[in-house]
Amino acid sequence: MMEVWEVLFPHVYLDELWAATYETIYMTVVSLFFTALLGIPLGVLLYMTAKGNPWENQWFYRVTGTIVNIFRSIPFIILIILLIPYVRMIFGVGYGMSAAIPALIIGAAPFYARLVEIAFREIPKGVVEAAQAMGAGNRHIIFKVLLPEAKPALVSGLTVTGIALIGYTAMAGVVGAGGLGYYAYRMGFQMNYEDVTLVATIAIIIIVQVFQMVGDLIVKALDKR
């Protein structure tokens, strides 16, 4: 088996491949966790302050929405380059996974916040109005109506965001963040080892497929319709 591997992929060393795969998964999972922590409250604010909702505030909604859209519109490779000096100043590092994770979070959180807002908008207005008619306060509406009703959509959005983050980690690899992107760039592109690029690409595809499958299973378990 190993002999066949060495013939097909002579420049791919399994220890390097596993290390790069671990770095990609680590960056994705940690970034996704903090993206959810930031994205859900931000999505709640966007929904609750929109026109016709309990905290209606058009000025706040437009300003927050504009900021979210600005960060969503910046290509990630440019965003991470822009953030490197600030990450170095705050965290003391400008290279590797520790430098990439803050940029990954800042790049993904606004994207997920919009998905959260959309998930809430898909909840029938009658559900929220019924809760209000029974005297439910805003806190009750958020935690007992919006979040429970939107759980399948929130997980589905988190799955989409996680897959986007996997792609972001590959781009972050170009600036030395580690992971499969860095492995493919350093060993595949710079060293001109096409077998390395191929294997790194296959590894990313497998991670994406597993991530999507797990996300779909969770959504199916949560969706009671």
Side-chain angles (χ1 to χ4, degrees), residues 23-24 27-28 31 75-81 84 94-105 164-186 204:
E23 289 171 352
T24 292
M27 286 190 288
T28 301
S31 301
F76 180 73
I77 191 68
I78 297 175
L79 178 64
I80 195 170
I81 292 170
I84 283 174
Y95 190 86
M97 290 191 296
S98 299
I101 287 174
L104 290 167
I105 296 167
L165 276 169
I166 294 169
Y168 289 170
T169 64
M171 287 185 277
V174 177
V175 293
L180 289 164
Y182 179 67
Y183 179 60
Y185 177 72
R186 178 175 59 87
I204 290 174

Side-chain angles (χ1 to χ4, degrees), residues 21 24-25 166 180 202-212:
T21 302
T24 292
I25 294 172
I166 294 169
L180 289 164
I202 292 172
I204 290 174
I205 291 172
I206 292 171
I207 293 171
V208 168
Q209 293 301 318
V210 171
F211 207 93
Q212 184 68 62

Side-chain angles (χ1 to χ4, degrees), residues 63 90 149 162 190:
V63 171
I90 296 170
E149 288 288 329
Q190 291 187 329

Side-chain angles (χ1 to χ4, degrees), residues 27-190:
M27 286 190 288
T28 301
V29 171
V30 172
S31 301
L32 190 61
F33 175 76
F34 287 102
T35 293
L37 284 184
L38 292 175
I40 291 175
L42 186 55
V44 169
L45 283 175
L46 286 169
Y47 175 81
M48 294 292 283
T49 57
K51 187 176 180 179
N53 290 334
W55 296 342
E56 181 178 342
N57 186 323
Q58 286 298 295
W59 180 86
F60 182 89
Y61 179 81
R62 287 172 183 167
V63 171
T64 307
T66 300
I67 294 171
V68 166
N69 289 338
I70 287 172
F71 278 97
R72 286 175 62 211
S73 64
I74 301 174
F76 180 73
I77 191 68
I78 297 175
L79 178 64
I80 195 170
I81 292 170
L82 287 172
L83 291 174
I84 283 174
Y86 303 100
V87 172
R88 184 183 292 115
M89 181 175 63
I90 296 170
F91 297 99
V93 291
Y95 190 86
M97 290 191 296
S98 299
I101 287 174
L104 290 167
I105 296 167
I106 293 171
F111 173 76
Y112 184 57
R114 280 298 187 191
L115 295 180
V116 172
E117 182 191 10
I118 292 169
F120 291 153
R121 285 182 176 179
E122 291 176 351
I123 298 172
K125 279 283 187 181
V127 175
V128 177
E129 290 170 357
Q132 289 174 322
M134 290 186 291
N138 292 331
R139 183 175 179 180
H140 183 93
I141 289 171
I142 292 170
F143 290 101
K144 300 296 184 180
V145 178
L146 294 178
L147 291 174
E149 288 288 329
K151 273 193 295 187
L154 293 177
V155 173
S156 180
L158 201 60
T159 303
V160 172
T161 305
I163 290 171
L165 276 169
I166 294 169
Y168 289 170
T169 64
M171 287 185 277
V174 177
V175 293
L180 289 164
Y182 179 67
Y183 179 60
Y185 177 72
R186 178 175 59 87
M187 296 298 294
F189 177 73
Q190 291 187 329

